[in-house]
Amino acid sequence: MTETTGQHFDWVDVHSNPAALPDGIVERFLALEDMSATVADALDALGIHGCVGASTLLPTLPDERVVGRAVTLRNVPSRMDTHRAVTDGNWLMAEIHLVELAEPGDVLVISGLPGVSNMGGIVAATARRGRLAGAVVDGAVRDVGQSRRRGFPIWSRDISPETGKWRGNSVEINATIAVAGVTVEPGDLVIADETGVCFVPVALAGEVAARCEAIDKKEEQMFADIAAGLPMSDVINQLYGGRA
């Protein structure tokens, strides 16, 4: 289903916001100890490719942990000369409209342009005001001091002072996108921390949460046993003697 856009964003194909996440699912994932790593193990067990490491998508606030519903934006390079775009005021990026449509707790997920900013301080400020959880950008961002001061966490491939607003064109909101080789659907569960970012299909969120909780419980006991002096042979047996 496609919504009618306002006149300022009539070049963008805007689809309806995805369905709300299941009740309590965000809290279940936030309760995990090693959040993204545990989710990655659960996705491996289900044969799903859904994770990107923090060496690829770097966190601006490494201490932050985010779980939320993905709302998506796809940017492509503009065909127009940059100087001509500046002269004509031809601004065709729509990340601010994504913020306008998003709901509290959502995560902005942008398939963006490398080397130039796909979102900056103004967008981060409005996203924080709207109580969005954070942003994941396959591309560059800028004004990271502004987003840090406001406590708005971003995971991005690059950081660059150059704006993308004269160099890029937003073409679609809330459609399927690719982020660092991972397919992301609007409504996917986004899990992000200092280790990386995972995207969980919402239909599998409950099953992935249950697997993660089982892994977490087993590892909690292992850490306790290690602290109590468990012999190395027993540690090895616990690690490799069975599956989580």
Side-chain angles (χ1 to χ4, degrees):
M1 178 179 179
T2 302
E3 295 179 346
T4 302
T5 62
Q7 61 178 345
H8 297 297
F9 300 97
D10 57 7
W11 68 88
V12 186
D13 190 8
V14 182
H15 303 274
S16 300
N17 276 346
L21 294 174
D23 289 344
I25 199 70
V26 169
E27 291 75 16
R28 289 177 71 182
F29 280 97
L30 285 173
L32 298 173
E33 183 69 25
D34 298 309
M35 192 170 64
S36 67
T38 306
V39 172
D41 286 350
L43 291 178
D44 278 349
L46 294 171
I48 294 173
H49 173 52
C51 298
V52 183
S55 56
T56 299
L57 297 174
L58 287 77
T60 58
L61 292 168
D63 291 338
E64 293 294 320
R65 307 165 91 238
V66 161
V67 179
R69 180 184 72 167
V71 290
T72 66
L73 174 69
R74 181 164 63 91
N75 292 334
V76 299
S78 173
R79 290 180 171 181
M80 185 173 290
D81 173 76
T82 300
H83 183 261
R84 174 70 181 275
V86 174
T87 302
D88 293 347
N90 193 7
W91 178 353
L92 293 177
M93 293 188 84
E95 69 278 21
I96 193 71
H97 191 40
L98 181 64
V99 174
E100 180 185 24
L101 295 171
E103 299 173 5
D106 283 349
V107 179
L108 309 175
V109 184
I110 300 174
S111 177
L113 306 179
V116 298
S117 176
N118 295 264
M119 66 172 286
I122 297 297
V123 172
T126 56
R128 173 52 78 199
R129 185 184 68 182
R131 294 185 290 123
L132 306 189
V136 176
V137 182
D138 189 0
V141 299
R142 70 176 188 173
D143 307 330
V144 292
Q146 295 283 2
S147 57
R148 285 190 183 118
R149 282 193 289 276
R150 288 166 174 80
F152 185 73
I154 301 170
W155 284 257
S156 71
R157 188 183 286 271
D158 303 307
I159 296 172
S160 172
E162 280 196 314
T163 182
K165 67 185 178 184
W166 314 119
R167 299 172 170 88
N169 185 1
S170 297
V171 294
E172 201 164 17
I173 286 175
N174 280 330
T176 303
I177 61 173
V179 173
V182 174
T183 298
V184 181
E185 300 279 355
D188 280 355
L189 197 64
V190 183
I191 290 101
D193 59 19
E194 65 179 342
T195 304
V197 181
C198 298
F199 301 99
V200 177
V202 68
L204 297 176
E207 182 177 358
V208 172
R211 286 179 177 270
C212 288
E213 288 160 350
I215 294 169
D216 224 29
K217 184 176 181 180
K218 177 180 178 180
E219 291 191 350
E220 181 182 7
Q221 183 59 55
M222 283 193 65
F223 283 121
D225 291 344
I226 290 167
L230 184 72
M232 278 301 300
S233 59
D234 290 338
V235 172
I236 293 169
N237 185 58
Q238 286 193 28
L239 276 174
Y240 300 105
R243 299 188 181 189

